Amino acid sequence: MPVYIMTLIFFIKVIQFMLIAKSSINQIYKLGFENTDYHLYWLSIFIRILLGYDFIPYFCEKLFEGTMIRSKEIDDFHNLGIILANIIVISTGIIEFFCSLTLSCGFLTRIGSIILTLYLMVTTYISLKFGYKFAWVSSSGTGWNYPILWSAIIFSYALFQPSEFSIDKFLLKYRKTPKWLKKIITF
């Protein structure tokens, strides 16, 4: 898909989100709840969606950009001495895809945030152990603080029930959801 179409879709979604959030906040204030921190609720939803969107380039390069880009990723893992690098690249792409979907759409958010937190912790540990540098790594060789901060923010979504602006909440509120799925969503 061309970049300009993706950019247009992104801006339409951001405007749509802002209009829904503004309408919701205005309704709360009209009801007389003036001292509420309801805008922080919408801020947390915006951050959740943004974190989900942030993983799109990572899984796309592993799963959808073709064999040349994927081969470069596989070669990077082979150069670190990792066996079965092709399986690791594909499986990390699938994990990133699933977690991006869970955060951006709010479907199985709690499970997705736990999986993504573990994934970020493991990849940070492995990357630092093998000396694979992140873009935010300083010349001293440290670089764990940014992924740990990212992990903490993502893990916070596992601690709370689904928000109004999510598929999880929609399923719980408006659909007859099977018991097994309710347990997964609200564990």
Side-chain angles (χ1 to χ4, degrees):
M1 180 181 298
V3 174
Y4 65 90
I5 293 176
M6 288 176 42
T7 305
L8 179 65
I9 291 170
F10 173 75
F11 283 118
I12 290 170
K13 288 297 180 186
V14 167
I15 290 168
Q16 178 186 21
F17 176 82
M18 289 173 23
L19 291 174
I20 291 170
K22 185 175 178 3
S23 171
S24 176
I25 291 169
N26 287 339
Q27 285 177 347
I28 292 294
Y29 288 142
K30 283 180 185 175
L31 293 174
F33 299 104
E34 295 168 3
N35 295 327
T36 172
D37 290 331
Y38 201 65
H39 59 283
L40 296 176
Y41 173 75
W42 280 97
L43 178 65
S44 74
I45 294 171
F46 179 74
I47 292 170
R48 185 199 79 213
I49 293 170
L50 184 65
L51 287 169
Y53 287 168
D54 195 39
F55 275 91
I56 291 173
Y58 296 108
F59 74 75
C60 280
E61 71 183 7
K62 293 177 179 86
L63 299 177
F64 303 123
E65 286 195 7
T67 55
M68 190 163 69
I69 302 288
R70 190 177 308 122
S71 295
K72 184 185 177 316
E73 292 268 337
I74 292 169
D75 288 343
D76 288 344
F77 279 100
H78 276 299
N79 292 338
L80 293 174
I82 296 176
I83 303 170
L84 301 173
N86 54 346
I87 293 173
I88 290 175
V89 169
I90 297 295
S91 62
T92 57
I94 291 169
I95 291 169
E96 291 165 354
F97 176 73
F98 170 74
C99 293
S100 175
L101 211 64
T102 63
L103 289 174
S104 61
C105 297
F107 181 62
L108 302 176
T109 308
R110 297 175 106 185
I111 290 176
S113 61
I114 291 170
I115 292 170
L116 189 53
T117 300
L118 292 172
Y119 169 77
L120 285 170
M121 298 290 221
V122 168
T123 55
T124 301
Y125 173 76
I126 290 171
S127 298
L128 293 175
K129 180 179 178 186
F130 284 109
Y132 195 71
K133 304 294 186 203
F134 294 113
W136 54 84
V137 176
S138 67
S139 59
S140 65
T142 60
W144 54 269
N145 50 355
Y146 181 71
I148 298 301
L149 172 68
W150 210 16
S151 298
I153 293 169
I154 290 169
F155 184 71
S156 69
Y157 290 99
L159 303 176
F160 303 103
Q161 292 294 323
S163 65
E164 293 293 328
F165 203 75
S166 68
I167 294 174
D168 288 341
K169 188 67 167 192
F170 177 80
L171 290 174
L172 292 173
K173 197 172 186 179
Y174 300 109
R175 296 285 182 237
K176 184 169 174 62
T177 309
K179 288 181 183 178
W180 64 269
L181 186 56
K182 279 185 184 178
K183 286 182 181 180
I184 291 173
I185 291 173
T186 62
F187 71 88

